Amino acid sequence: MKKLFVLFVLFMFSNLSAQALEPKSMFSNVCFGVLVGSSFNTIPTAGATMSIEVKSNVTSNINAKISLGYSTLYNDNSYEIRSYRFVSFDNYSKYHTRLFMVDRVKYTIIPVTLGAEYLITEAQLSPFTLLEVGYNFSSSIAEGITHDGIAGTFDTVNEIPAAYRKIAPGLEDGSSFSIGVGIGARYKLTDRMDMNIRYIYRYNDTIVNNNQILFGLTF
């Protein structure tokens, strides 16, 4: 899919009439953007993403930007957790073995990024490349099925089978540093409003890397 997207964008760019970029004073133009789209490691487990950004020109063809977003990301690497729990009520006190079959881990992410956008040409349809660095403030939850009493119930901890005689490990929240590289295009609707499409590949240092496809408006 990434290859098809790149070929499509390159094809569009090859048909553009390149125009000279007019000189601009640094930070003479400030604009805002609102973009929504999809964030995914694998397509069957795609999540949603949204980004709000502010950018301003550094040179005629380079914009600096800062963005704040919200996204959900899934890691569908399934695994099992074997543990136990103590159940007590009325005259009943037993240790229950548990098997948690994790199908995927869901990350809820608030990314804060700083970046630069390089405008290749300026026309009605203008291509650009971008680079972002930032930090993901994240929380996580494992999604799956819990089987209680899978290996039986027991009176003491010592009777529990060795494979289940442990406390379930905590799940890391997934907060991480991030680097994103991407390509995109903007289509000028009016003098103050553009339609924007972009693809970003994002490296995250503690959770799965992901792809993002975003559509939106800048004004």
Side-chain angles (χ1 to χ4, degrees), residues 12 18 30 157 160 171 217:
M12 290 193 303
V30 177
V157 172
I160 299 173
L171 188 63
L217 297 174

Side-chain angles (χ1 to χ4, degrees), residues 81-87 92-101 145-168:
I81 298 176
R82 298 171 188 263
S83 62
Y84 70 91
R85 67 172 183 145
F86 181 65
V87 179
Y92 181 90
S93 296
K94 293 283 185 179
Y95 290 90
H96 287 216
T97 54
R98 308 187 82 187
L99 176 63
F100 186 22
M101 302 182 68
I145 299 174
T146 300
H147 300 279
D148 193 41
I150 188 70
T153 58
F154 304 90
D155 294 322
T156 67
V157 172
N158 293 332
E159 295 176 0
I160 299 173
Y164 294 87
R165 201 183 305 161
K166 53 191 174 183
I167 303 299

